[in-house]
Amino acid sequence: MQKLILALSLAAFAPLALAKAPQVTVVVKKIEGFGESGDAFTFKAVSGKRYMVYNAGGANPIAGEKFIQQSARSQQKICLILDSYSSEPRMVDAVKKGACK
């Protein structure tokens, strides 16, 4: 009986372990600036959606953060790896150069 319960438990949670973080390909239209406390900034994509980056006032940048500014200047696509929570604006955990794959 215990083996059956364990097998059912593992089967129920297996899809959660395999789930990938949400990703979206964007072109940055405008970096909107830092919040009052200076620990996060927001930017808007060409699509009109807003995103937020928490970087501890610049002391702890996220992986690939420099690609956000590059995209704003060059209009090249970047891949945002988003936090799994769907708040607005969406929180960005990391950035990769180029379109998401």
Side-chain angles (χ1 to χ4, degrees):
M1 184 66 167
Q2 287 179 330
K3 288 183 180 180
L4 178 61
I5 293 172
L6 178 60
L8 291 173
S9 297
L10 291 174
F13 290 109
L16 296 176
L18 299 175
K20 288 179 67 175
Q23 298 181 5
V24 63
T25 299
V26 301
V27 173
V28 178
K29 181 176 182 178
K30 178 183 179 185
I31 297 175
E32 297 176 326
F34 282 85
E36 289 181 26
S37 60
D39 62 353
F41 68 91
T42 58
F43 63 93
K44 186 178 276 190
V46 172
S47 66
K49 293 189 178 187
R50 293 179 66 226
Y51 299 93
M52 180 179 282
V53 174
Y54 177 77
N55 69 353
N60 191 20
I62 63 168
E65 186 175 316
K66 63 183 176 187
F67 298 132
I68 297 170
Q69 291 180 356
Q70 289 176 2
S71 177
R73 287 191 302 267
S74 68
Q75 297 298 291
Q76 291 187 348
K77 294 177 183 177
I78 57 174
C79 178
L80 305 179
I81 293 86
L82 303 174
D83 185 77
S84 59
Y85 300 106
S86 61
S87 60
E88 291 295 328
R90 292 295 302 263
M91 185 67 73
V92 178
D93 284 340
V95 183
K96 293 188 274 185
K97 192 173 187 175
C100 299
K101 296 177 184 176

